[in-house]
Amino acid sequence: MSLRDFGVLSDGRSVQEVTLGNGRLTAQFLTFGARINGLSFDEIDDLTPTLDLEAAAGSNPYSGVIVGPVMNRLGGARAPLNGQVLTFNANEGSNLLHSGAAGLHRLVWDIADVSETAVTFAVDLRPDTFPGRRQIEVTYRLEDADLVLEIAGTTDVPTLMNVGFHPFWTVSGRGRAGHVLQVHGAQYLPMDGGNIPTGEIADVVGTALDYRIPRAPADDIDHCFVLPEHDGIAPCVTLESDVMRLEILSDAPAVHVFTGMDIGIAVEPEIHPDAPNHAGFPSIRLGSGETFHQTVIHRFSRR
């Protein structure tokens, strides 16, 4: 394990870099956004983008970060909670994306614990556009060929929470190109013109979004796939190249896949986007005394 000063943001906040290794996996993480900023496996490098601080704060603000408190989109930048309607400043058309100005990706997190093969980042959020004094911890662990992510969050009053991981993977070493994609879900969420779910849960059969059988992904995927009901950890997405394979497993009910950038393929286990505005979606309400939790396992292997 090594810890070094990585740089200083334009507002004067200092950012640190943590490097972990276990003999098979070596990973770099930044306190800015609790982000992964480099990964190698069995001497195969650049499995996720490595950014300088200018790019991390500017042109690629979501690459490798923890997103939330409510990831993905809230339609109309509004959400009901406890008989009231929370309103937000829209940052993508008329919608709220990744919590906007209150986003976790904008924060410099504390290092709560660190060892040779694990690091825990923590942040204490005061009430803002989202209610509640909230504590969120994110732990990354290297376990043989697995990168394991654990997210936990609590609040002192009812709030909305849907925290997730937003990595871009490039197991081909060529950015978005050179991959075969398999999504272990037979349903998806149709969206309107603003990329907001309509509320329908539709079958992928007969659509361009049927990736149950592995194939090369299109460059315009920006969709949430609903996973089969499961207890515990289950496969959600597999990426393969001619060199290696990445299997992603999670306890989340859905996964968002985004192929719209050259730097790689984003795979984001999540609770359904815009959930508060759709009665048929899983709830993202978190009450006092409850704990939000998500686990994601990224399992690497050579072909």
Side-chain angles (χ1 to χ4, degrees):
M1 187 276 293
S2 66
L3 178 65
R4 72 179 182 98
D5 293 333
F6 189 76
V8 179
L9 294 165
S10 60
D11 59 9
R13 291 178 295 164
S14 296
V15 176
Q16 292 183 299
E17 178 190 69
V18 180
T19 298
L20 307 179
N22 71 350
R24 301 198 72 187
L25 290 166
T26 301
Q28 288 76 39
F29 303 93
L30 302 183
T31 54
F32 181 46
R35 110 179 30 223
I36 191 169
N37 198 47
L39 183 73
S40 62
F41 167 69
D42 282 356
E43 300 182 350
I44 302 173
D45 298 327
D46 303 321
L47 298 177
T48 194
T50 299
L51 306 178
D52 60 25
L53 203 52
E54 182 179 6
S59 58
N60 289 296
Y62 303 125
S63 175
V65 299
I66 299 299
V67 284
V70 174
M71 66 183 297
N72 214 311
R73 297 172 176 90
L74 289 173
R78 299 163 62 88
L81 177 66
N82 288 352
Q84 299 181 332
V85 176
L86 304 179
T87 59
F88 309 92
N89 291 325
N91 66 332
E92 187 191 58
S94 61
N95 305 317
L96 183 73
L97 176 65
H98 297 322
S99 295
L104 300 177
H105 64 285
R106 300 166 60 94
L107 302 180
V108 174
W109 294 54
D110 295 325
I111 299 174
D113 192 27
V114 65
S115 68
E116 291 297 323
T117 58
V119 60
T120 297
F121 297 105
V123 68
D124 189 350
L125 303 175
R126 297 183 181 275
D128 44 40
T129 51
F130 294 96
R133 181 75 177 261
R134 294 144 292 155
Q135 290 80 39
I136 299 172
E137 287 192 349
V138 174
T139 298
Y140 296 96
R141 296 195 311 273
L142 308 184
E143 299 180 353
D144 190 35
D146 292 355
L147 168 65
V148 181
L149 172 69
E150 300 270 1
I151 303 172
T154 60
T155 180
D156 63 346
V157 299
T159 192
L160 299 176
M161 191 170 291
N162 187 12
V163 181
F165 184 37
H166 197 303
F168 283 88
W169 299 113
T170 173
V171 299
S172 68
R174 296 190 284 127
R176 175 179 57 192
H179 290 94
V180 171
L181 169 69
Q182 182 179 20
V183 180
H184 300 278
Q187 296 178 307
Y188 75 104
L189 301 183
M191 298 182 298
D192 64 19
N195 282 342
I196 299 299
T198 63
E200 179 187 5
I201 299 176
D203 292 337
V204 299
V205 177
T207 76
L209 294 173
D210 190 350
Y211 284 93
R212 292 173 300 162
I213 297 175
R215 61 187 175 96
D219 292 345
D220 60 353
I221 303 173
D222 189 4
H223 292 80
C224 177
F225 295 84
V226 178
L227 300 171
E229 290 189 14
H230 58 276
D231 293 324
I233 306 297
C236 57
V237 167
T238 302
L239 289 173
E240 290 189 84
S241 70
D242 57 359
V243 176
M244 62 178 299
R245 169 188 173 99
L246 168 59
E247 185 179 11
I248 301 172
L249 308 95
S250 179
D251 54 4
V255 60
H256 200 95
V257 179
F258 174 61
T259 61
M261 296 182 68
D262 290 337
I263 60 173
I265 296 176
V267 179
E268 310 157 52
E270 63 180 355
I271 301 173
H272 303 26
D274 200 35
N277 294 310
H278 300 281
F281 289 1
S283 174
I284 63 169
R285 181 189 184 276
L286 185 71
S288 175
E290 299 176 333
T291 300
F292 172 91
H293 185 265
Q294 186 190 110
T295 300
V296 187
I297 299 173
H298 306 85
R299 181 161 293 158
F300 297 88
S301 60
R302 285 183 175 270
R303 292 196 64 186

